[in-house]
Amino acid sequence: MRRYPPIADHGLVGDLQTAALVSSDGTVDWLCAPRFDSPSVFASLLDHDRGGHFTVAADTQRPPVQLYLQDTAILVTRFLGEAGVGEVIDFMPVENPECPAARHRLVRILRATRGQVRFSLECRPRFDYGRAGHRTDVGEDAVRFDAPGAQASLQTAGPIRWSREGDDVRSELTLAEGEFAAVLLTVGDADDTPLPPLTEADVRTLFKGTRDFWHAWVRRSRYHGRWQDMVNRSAITLKLLTYAPTGAPVAAPTMGLPEQIGGTRNWDYRYTWVRDGSLSVGALLGLGYVEEAHAFRKWLGDRVRAGRTVSGEPLQIMYRIDGEPDLPEEVLDHFEGYQGSAPVRVGNGAAGQLQLDIYGEVALALAQAVEDVRDVPPYEGWKALSGVLDWLVKAWDRPDEGIWETRGGQKDFTYSRVMCWTAFDRGIRMAREFARPADTAGWGAARDDIMGQVMERGWSTERRAFVQQYEDTTLDASLLLMPSVGFISPKDPRWLSTLEAMEQELVSDSLVHRYDPAASPDGLRGSEGTFSLCSFLYVDALAQAGQLGPARYAFDKMLTYANHAGLFAEEIGPTGDQLGNFPQAFTHLALITAALSLDHQMDVAR
């Protein structure tokens, strides 16, 4: 087992309520239970010694190979050797995902496909981010680990026999061609209910059910464009990162993975950002996943109606997956962090920030969902939304922290103003389309005031570009969304000039930086890589501008930075390595959006 494998050297498996990362050498080094945002059971990705892991390794000479079974979330890690070839098949069964479950299962199947392979297994759980001790009971074909309020158990099928090492267990076995063994790991809340024996037939039934679930889900997609494999993989990843009981996606299943090795930009992403989730609605509807889009719309509508936030505003930028607004941030001082990248934070203090752009993304998502089914908005929901827009009429013209959650103080961010314009624009459209009661005159006046302000103060005659904030000349890749929301034509001279300026300053070999921290200090130490979300937004902007050759080149080039399983982290570093929390939903939804846009523009051009 490597001390810290590269961030990208992982596949993801999940059951739509939580998820595990499996490194390409067969180690489960991240798993929280019973939910994405629960304390960890395995977290050696953040501390090799204290975090805990569940490793299946093989005594073979060549580096392992990892891949997904086509159009599934079933992960295969293959061990290659002269004397034999073995594999581990990892998956989490998906059963009644809409009902919150206190316990979750990970299946690990061991097989020899040629010759003989010697496997070794080691399970070292470390509950509550490594802070809670546990008691271990070892039986003939089962193991139970008990910690305060939490539990894990191992059941086996085939010739696996556990031996105890302190409070951990290990096993070694040799399989010949065609032979089979399996481990069923169950994690979550404490439960004294006896577990039934595990048989090979049980394992095969779980495998078939999981495979069939994902095949049926992928068949619902209506995308048949040029990049079907990558779009399908991104759609599956978004599905894996969505908490099915509420329909809310997490930004990523991990916390604390650094944007710079040894740096301090290490955040907890296991929550639902209003912005990310709202922008996912368009991507999901574009693929034909109406149920998923409308599940998030309901979650979003509930947040608008609830109005309970830590910031005191009608909405806050992120919530727990069940809609709770409290996300207190603390530092896990006992964890050394990925490759020494401390501090490791749990919770997210940015939840209390003022980011006015979220109101535009909310209105955009609700408008897209309503327009998709051509259904009149429910009266109570509309009343809540119109109340928020009435409030925004008086509240939009304020400095805020901006989309990137900088901790350098509130400023007049151009993107925030553009999205406030979007909020009023979509609200007016829905009110007129569905004859809903609304102060369209007041909303329209605010919308027009924002347009004039952005055109005057958000435009730099010196840079000949729209800039990050008023009274400044820094560029910002978030503004790549300006044409998408309809604020400006994608072929307007001002926009084409902005796009050219971004290409000169923010784009490096088709990869896009969010902004230049040196030019616009963000209150944080260290640097960061290019932001994969922005790289795909750049593709979309080029496509809409009719620059199809550069757009396709940038898109195809960006796809080469995906990991071996087609997954993306948040950022790409100077050496091409993936950085930040992994995999990131925002990146994958932007990939889908870019593919849909580029396909459409290329078809029109034909």
Side-chain angles (χ1 to χ4, degrees):
M1 175 186 175
R2 295 167 293 176
R3 188 168 180 85
Y4 289 106
I7 290 172
D9 206 12
H10 291 84
L12 179 76
V13 296
D15 63 2
L16 312 187
Q17 294 188 21
T18 190
L21 291 185
V22 185
S23 71
S24 67
D25 59 6
T27 297
V28 178
D29 53 20
W30 183 258
L31 173 62
C32 298
R35 307 190 327 185
F36 292 108
D37 56 355
S38 298
S40 62
V41 178
F42 303 118
S44 60
L45 196 57
L46 295 179
D47 194 300
H48 176 84
D49 299 319
R50 301 179 183 89
H53 62 88
F54 181 11
T55 297
V56 177
D59 186 15
T60 51
Q61 299 79 31
R62 298 179 184 175
V65 175
Q66 192 176 65
L67 66 153
Y68 281 109
L69 295 186
Q70 183 74 17
D71 290 342
T72 76
I74 298 173
L75 193 65
V76 180
T77 305
R78 192 163 288 148
F79 300 94
L80 310 174
E82 299 299 329
V85 174
E87 61 186 22
V88 177
I89 301 172
D90 286 302
F91 62 93
M92 296 183 73
V94 182
E95 298 173 326
N96 301 316
E98 288 78 19
C99 299
R103 311 190 77 197
H104 299 267
R105 298 181 294 174
L106 169 66
V107 180
R108 314 201 73 185
I109 299 173
L110 289 65
R111 298 175 62 236
T113 60
R114 183 181 63 79
Q116 285 192 335
V117 179
R118 185 167 184 79
F119 290 95
S120 60
L121 296 82
E122 184 178 53
C123 187
R124 299 167 55 89
R126 296 292 183 268
F127 297 92
D128 189 24
Y129 308 113
R131 296 180 293 194
H134 64 270
R135 186 182 75 252
T136 304
D137 294 312
V138 181
E140 183 177 348
D141 57 2
V143 178
R144 200 168 96 173
F145 307 96
D146 288 291
Q151 190 179 86
S153 64
L154 300 171
Q155 296 171 272
T156 62
I160 298 175
R161 299 295 179 265
W162 298 106
S163 61
R164 184 167 180 157
E165 288 190 351
D167 289 327
D168 307 317
V169 296
R170 63 177 296 110
S171 180
E172 293 189 355
L173 69 155
T174 299
L175 297 179
E177 184 173 332
E179 290 185 333
F180 167 101
V183 183
L184 173 62
L185 167 72
T186 303
V187 293
D189 295 344
D191 188 347
D192 292 328
T193 305
L195 295 170
L198 182 69
T199 67
E200 182 175 334
D202 294 332
V203 174
R204 294 188 185 280
T205 297
L206 291 172
F207 174 85
K208 182 178 184 301
T210 305
R211 181 195 62 195
D212 292 350
F213 170 85
W214 287 109
H215 283 171
W217 188 81
V218 169
R219 280 198 301 270
R220 288 172 46 203
S221 173
R222 62 187 179 207
Y223 179 79
H224 301 290
R226 296 168 177 82
W227 297 279
Q228 189 156 358
D229 284 348
M230 287 300 295
V231 168
N232 285 353
R233 180 52 52 199
S234 289
I236 290 171
T237 304
L238 284 181
K239 182 70 170 175
L240 282 171
L241 299 182
T242 299
Y243 184 65
T246 64
V250 294
T254 58
M255 53 178 263
L257 293 180
E259 298 176 18
Q260 178 188 24
I261 302 301
T264 62
R265 300 168 185 250
N266 317 317
W267 314 111
D268 190 347
Y269 273 21
R270 300 170 303 152
Y271 308 114
T272 299
W273 268 251
V274 166
R275 174 187 310 111
D276 302 26
S278 296
L279 293 176
S280 74
V281 169
L284 291 168
L285 290 174
L287 298 180
Y289 289 114
V290 176
E291 292 178 11
E292 287 75 8
H294 287 280
F296 179 72
R297 182 190 72 164
K298 181 181 182 305
W299 182 92
L300 194 59
D302 289 343
R303 304 288 74 72
V304 173
R305 287 188 291 274
R308 187 168 72 87
T309 64
V310 297
S311 63
E313 307 284 325
L315 288 171
Q316 65 186 48
I317 66 170
M318 72 182 90
Y319 298 81
R320 292 190 180 275
I321 49 182
D322 58 6
E324 284 297 311
D326 297 313
L327 285 74
E329 183 175 297
E330 63 175 309
V331 173
L332 301 180
D333 290 318
H334 62 289
F335 271 2
E336 72 170 3
Y338 178 83
Q339 292 191 26
S341 302
V344 174
R345 299 178 180 89
V346 59
N348 201 311
Q353 286 192 354
L354 174 65
Q355 296 180 21
L356 291 168
D357 67 281
I358 63 173
Y359 297 99
E361 285 122 9
V362 166
L364 184 64
L366 295 176
Q368 287 174 322
V370 167
E371 291 169 4
D372 185 72
V373 296
R374 310 304 303 166
D375 192 17
V376 177
Y379 179 75
E380 293 301 327
W382 173 259
K383 186 176 178 182
L385 176 62
S386 63
V388 169
L389 293 179
D390 289 341
W391 168 87
L392 191 61
V393 167
K394 301 177 181 179
W396 66 265
D397 196 12
R398 292 181 292 167
D400 68 351
E401 271 89 4
I403 180 176
W404 304 128
E405 292 163 22
T406 59
R407 301 194 179 191
Q410 296 182 344
K411 301 173 183 177
D412 290 311
F413 285 102
T414 304
Y415 178 77
S416 298
R417 299 299 201 277
V418 169
M419 294 312 294
C420 286
W421 177 93
T422 303
F424 293 124
D425 181 71
R426 296 316 191 269
I428 292 168
R429 291 190 195 187
M430 285 191 285
R432 290 174 175 169
E433 174 71 17
F434 299 104
R436 299 289 88 181
D439 179 18
T440 53
W443 299 355
R447 180 189 62 181
D448 295 346
D449 287 345
I450 296 170
M451 173 70 76
Q453 188 187 87
V454 169
M455 289 298 184
E456 179 180 343
R457 301 180 62 195
W459 171 261
S460 168
T461 53
E462 175 187 341
R463 300 301 305 274
R464 297 215 39 87
F466 291 103
V467 291
Q468 181 186 68
Q469 52 189 282
Y470 297 168
E471 322 306 335
D472 194 84
T473 58
T474 303
L475 301 180
D476 193 314
S478 65
L479 297 176
L480 288 165
L481 282 166
M482 289 176 73
S484 297
V485 300
F487 186 89
I488 194 169
S489 165
K491 298 182 180 179
D492 186 287
R494 284 196 181 198
W495 175 247
L496 294 177
S497 178
T498 300
L499 195 56
E500 183 179 356
M502 288 187 184
E503 289 168 352
Q504 293 173 358
E505 181 169 308
L506 300 182
V507 180
S508 173
D509 192 28
S510 301
L511 305 179
V512 182
H513 291 273
R514 295 188 292 181
Y515 56 91
D516 180 2
S520 178
D522 56 14
L524 299 167
R525 289 188 293 111
S527 61
E528 62 179 21
T530 57
F531 213 67
S532 296
L533 159 73
C534 298
S535 298
F536 286 120
L537 294 182
Y538 175 58
V539 171
D540 187 13
L542 288 174
Q544 291 188 63
Q547 300 178 30
L548 299 185
R552 180 158 191 175
Y553 175 81
F555 188 68
D556 288 339
K557 187 69 177 285
M558 187 61 192
L559 295 185
T560 67
Y561 287 96
N563 82 340
H564 59 277
L567 304 180
F568 285 93
E570 184 177 23
E571 299 183 11
I572 295 172
T575 60
D577 52 323
Q578 299 210 35
L579 297 170
N581 285 300
F582 176 88
Q584 197 202 34
F586 217 169
T587 301
H588 285 278
L589 77 88
L591 184 157
I592 293 169
T593 300
L596 291 170
S597 176
L598 189 51
D599 266 316
H600 172 71
Q601 297 296 337
M602 291 175 69
D603 289 344
V604 169
R606 290 172 60 187

